[in-house]
Amino acid sequence: MRPTSAQVAKLAGVSRTTVSFVLNNVEKSGISNATREKVLAAAAQLGYEPNAAAQSLASGSSATIGLVLPDIHHLYVDSFLSRVVASVSEEVRRHDMKLLIETVDRGDTFGYQRLAKNGRIDGMIVVNPRENEYTVLAEINRDFMPLVAFGSRRRSQQTCAEFSTTSSDNFFNARLAVKHLIALGHKNIGHISFSSDSFTSVNSRERGWLAALEEHNLNARDIRESADLSAESGYHACLRLLSKKQSFSAIFAGNDTVAFGIIRALIDKGYRVPEDIAIVGYDDIPLAAYGAVPLTTIKTFPEEHGRMAVKTLLEHLKGISEPNHQKFDSHLVIRESCGARK
Amino acid sequence: MRPTSAQVAKLAGVSRTTVSFVLNNVEKSGISNATREKVLAAAAQLGYEPNAAAQSLASGSSATIGLVLPDIHHLYVDSFLSRVVASVSEEVRRHDMKLLIETVDRGDTFGYQRLAKNGRIDGMIVVNPRENEYTVLAEINRDFMPLVAFGSRRRSQQTCAEFSTTSSDNFFNARLAVKHLIALGHKNIGHISFSSDSFTSVNSRERGWLAALEEHNLNARDIRESADLSAESGYHACLRLLSKKQSFSAIFAGNDTVAFGIIRALIDKGYRVPEDIAIVGYDDIPLAAYGAVPLTTIKTFPEEHGRMAVKTLLEHLKGISEPNHQKFDSHLVIRESCGARK
DNA sequence: CTGAAAGCGCTTACAG
DNA sequence: CTGAAAGCGCTTACAG
């Protein structure tokens, strides 16, 4: 049905070997220009496209990379992850490779192994691995294929060295955000996290919040609630926080999407932002400047970050095998929700 | 290196045929339970995972579907598309298939054909095809693999019947949104579109806006600007609209993200929303209720829509070949930005 | 109920 | 500079 390399070879009057050499630009094969032209013309005439499965089987590589997402629900509600997917997709494509999107359930060790063994992909990028997954990932990197963990670096140096990571320093940035609030005079600063703290990134931001408080001898350990990625969950978490009757004058939100919900809850309850309660978010999502109160937030760079993960992976695929740890700088973007202005 | 079916066969003391039958649950093969157990045990012991390329080459199908996105940049700024990706991913996975993400450049006919011929995927879902791509898509559906167009139905019945589509009625819904504004007494209702009108969906919403105006003998043809998906572009489009010095009391925004930018621009220029200028958006993105002014908008169902596209495609893959056209209902969600309340 | 064997469409030493 | 042939790891009629 679809033309095969044999048909191209026949039409061009050469062997399949030659067709393969020409189409794959094998340097050392020394194909004459005349032969090359004939092959190319024949392939074009037949509309020939190599069968990827056959190529993969024969060559042992699939020219595909896998992007493993922690939980597909994240994509529904938060824009950070979609920007990662977009940039990874773009970068993969720029290198003439394909992108397979995978989800692995919470702690499903076999899921990772299946993916590593079935030969569909040559390498994988794992977004926001959970604390209990590092062991499997290290095994995969050692035994099967290069792997880059995106978005979090574990505290333990030792485990971390086992595969490459690209991360921004969630701990440092969260601490920075909270210190900004402290510098503005806030003493009671709550925190609403954006997901389960089994995710390293969630966990690190929470630790950053606590660290900033401790450095300034503040205690706000109990002014804390968990949301679950969506603005709606942030809204409800904020209501729960308010119902505790603890006093606080600022909230550090685990991410911007949640911050949107928090701000709406505060407004609905008659608080002014930032006059009564100040807010700092995290991520600088595209809508951050366009909400009810333009959001002061930690700007992250998911696109650059995604591209870097792909580049690192491709280097490993080319044979550079020393794991490395890329760090991304972030910085505070000051808008109105923190009260530093006006 | 990785175990093969031959090794499993050897360990279980059976032939590779039997291994294949057991692992693929071939019904009519009548494998005895004892044999089945032996094979399963051997496979588990070796950690056997079938090689996907070999399976694909031998069986002629890849158990993978391709999701073709119109322009990866959409993922960066607008949440609609990411919700589609998420739901498609989830549904594909539910059916034990894999998802390949593809981008095809504007009008790149060969890109589609390459994808259709290289054997990586068994079928494709094309999100928001452009007007000039329908011919290639019809060819692919006829000659290579089932294809479902997501998100738009072409006006011409004839072309449309050539492959399945799932769509919501952008024209109808846009018209509904604008009629809502008219019912509230607005006479001069502008429109800011969210992308190039080479996309059927963009085009249809604009036509819906015009149709509503015409039905009520209103003319606002010139109160129109184009944005480009982001809130920021909506902000600037709104500034351009304001600088025209035409009078208008309402704007129909091509999507919610753009509406966020529009509202911010109006507030910055001293207008009150909805008192001075009313806004209706489109999509009901997760943040729609959490912006500066809770947004009245057309609620769409990208998740259900994505799942339906997958289901339709899978039916075609099973042999049901009659193209069908799924329609998704939408409805107006009334919040505050239109001024119907308070 | 099970196995020997052909074949899927490529790549890649190897030989000349 | 080019070709014959083995082999990648599966599936699937076919034979028994």
Side-chain angles (χ1 to χ4, degrees), chain B residues 5 16 20 24 48:
Chain B
S5 72
R16 288 155 67 213
S20 174
N24 294 315
Y48 172 68

Side-chain angles (χ1 to χ4, degrees), chain A residues 260-334:
Chain A
F260 266 68
I262 294 171
I263 290 176
R264 172 58 51 196
L266 292 172
I267 291 174
D268 282 1
K269 290 294 175 186
Y271 295 91
R272 291 166 305 164
V273 176
E275 293 83 352
D276 300 325
I277 296 180
I279 305 288
V280 176
Y282 201 113
D283 278 347
D284 198 28
I285 60 174
L287 290 180
Y290 298 93
V293 185
L295 205 55
T296 292
T297 187
I298 298 288
K299 183 175 184 64
T300 54
F301 299 90
E303 290 87 0
E304 286 78 357
H305 201 151
R307 279 196 285 274
M308 180 54 77
V310 175
K311 279 179 187 153
T312 304
L313 187 62
L314 292 179
E315 279 175 9
H316 289 316
L317 249 18
K318 278 188 211 140
I320 296 141
S321 60
E322 205 55 34
N324 63 61
H325 303 284
Q326 301 279 345
K327 282 256 177 180
F328 277 83
D329 285 339
S330 301
H331 60 259
L332 194 64
V333 177
I334 297 178

Side-chain angles (χ1 to χ4, degrees), chain B residues 215-258:
Chain B
E215 285 173 35
H216 293 265
N217 295 312
L218 300 173
N219 187 342
R221 201 169 273 278
D222 296 328
I223 312 178
R224 190 198 169 294
E225 280 291 335
S226 292
D228 194 16
L229 288 139
S230 68
E232 194 183 351
S233 73
Y235 185 93
H236 290 111
C238 184
L239 293 185
R240 289 198 300 276
L241 201 59
L242 289 170
S243 73
K244 284 185 173 176
K245 305 286 180 200
Q246 287 158 327
S247 83
F248 55 91
S249 62
I251 298 176
F252 167 54
N255 76 8
D256 287 354
T257 305
V258 162

